[in-house]
Amino acid sequence: MTQSASKPVARAAQQQLVRLAARALARANLVHAYGHCSMRLDEGHFLVCAAKPMGLIRDDDEGTVVGVEGELPEGVLGEVRIHQQIYQRRPEVGAVVRSMPRDVMTLSAAGITPAPRHGMGAYFSPGVPLWDDVQLIRSEQQACGVAEAMGAGAAVVMRGNGAVVAAESLEKTVALTWYLEDAARIELQLRSAGLASNDGILSHQAAQQRATSAGRIFERMWEYLIAGDIQSTGAFMNEKAQ
């Protein structure tokens, strides 16, 4: 992929959207001290949130524009290489979230990822791949491995180290991150109760039918997650940010 000739400048609405997403993920306990989110600006660049705990990102904390290829700018977190590799491989992806959801982490420590057993899990059918390495991602080779493990799916779980989710928009990616943790909650509770039989896993056909975007599915989850944020307008902001 060839990057744009010049680095774009993120517009105020794009910076605002990234801040909203970061704080929403923190309020939902999907990240803590660690985690980051980004949105694509053009073919060769994306905007990643400020390198600080996402719940502490303030209105004056601007994200950094990063090239899809090349070295990371100074001050950008090393695991943002994962974002680069996903954007390189998947031109349809408009946003990436790196999160640390509690139940996803618990299952992954045992080498398990949530199966599609309920409506929100349907978006990850036929299953969520596992990057089976507990090491932090500090090299391009490792980031390539995570992106390749993810493939064309919506998510990849990193063993004992959270998850990465990608989708067409930042709003949808945040919503899917919440869905992934809910799928992990279901998986963990069913396993704890001895009820996690394969009979409860949705067929791929049933999951595809259930994994709809109709009825403002993602918009309503986004509105729920950003509710109470001082920058929130309650609107599905993707059109404003483009």
Side-chain angles (χ1 to χ4, degrees):
M1 179 182 293
T2 302
Q3 292 190 36
S4 303
S6 60
K7 180 184 289 189
V9 176
R11 295 195 296 273
Q14 292 168 327
Q15 293 279 4
Q16 179 189 26
L17 183 59
V18 168
R19 286 192 292 264
L20 276 171
R23 294 196 292 247
L25 290 161
R27 284 194 304 275
N29 295 317
L30 297 170
V31 297
H32 37 64
Y34 314 119
H36 28 89
C37 63
S38 70
M39 63 176 292
R40 189 190 289 273
L41 298 178
D42 61 20
E43 182 184 12
H45 302 88
F46 60 93
L47 175 67
V48 67
C49 67
K52 62 190 298 185
M54 296 165 83
L56 302 181
I57 290 177
R58 305 175 306 186
D59 296 343
D60 57 352
D61 285 324
E62 293 202 340
T64 301
V65 176
V66 180
V68 167
E69 297 179 353
E71 295 296 320
L72 296 176
E74 184 177 354
V76 171
L77 298 170
E79 287 199 345
V80 175
R81 292 183 179 91
I82 301 170
H83 301 235
Q84 286 183 309
Q85 294 301 321
I86 293 171
Y87 287 127
Q88 284 181 33
R89 287 165 170 75
R90 299 178 59 182
E92 83 283 4
V93 165
V96 176
V97 167
R98 170 77 170 95
S99 62
M100 298 286 187
R102 185 190 68 180
D103 291 345
V104 169
M105 293 273 281
T106 300
L107 289 171
S108 74
I112 299 167
T113 66
R117 297 181 183 276
H118 76 321
M120 292 172 185
Y123 294 87
F124 307 100
S125 180
V128 183
L130 177 72
W131 171 250
D132 196 7
D133 188 341
V134 299
Q135 302 305 318
L136 296 174
I137 306 302
R138 291 293 184 265
S139 71
E140 185 173 349
Q141 182 180 7
Q142 291 172 300
C144 286
V146 174
E148 288 171 3
M150 186 182 203
V156 60
V157 168
M158 303 162 71
R159 184 163 188 160
N161 197 22
V164 180
V165 175
E168 303 95 307
S169 71
L170 186 51
E171 298 94 331
K172 181 176 179 179
T173 308
V174 170
L176 285 173
T177 302
W178 195 96
Y179 290 1
L180 179 63
E181 174 66 351
D182 202 58
R185 176 186 64 83
I186 293 290
E187 185 74 29
L188 187 60
Q189 290 181 354
L190 287 174
R191 285 175 179 263
S192 298
L195 299 174
S197 71
N198 289 340
D199 293 341
I201 297 176
L202 301 178
S203 70
H204 191 49
Q205 181 179 359
Q208 285 185 312
Q209 185 175 355
R210 171 58 181 82
T212 180
S213 60
R216 300 186 69 248
I217 290 287
F218 298 115
E219 293 91 334
R220 286 185 287 148
M221 179 54 70
W222 170 254
E223 290 164 2
Y224 168 75
L225 290 171
I226 66 171
D229 192 284
I230 57 174
Q231 287 191 342
S232 172
T233 64
F236 194 53
M237 298 181 61
N238 191 50
E239 291 184 0
K240 296 181 182 179
Q242 294 301 314

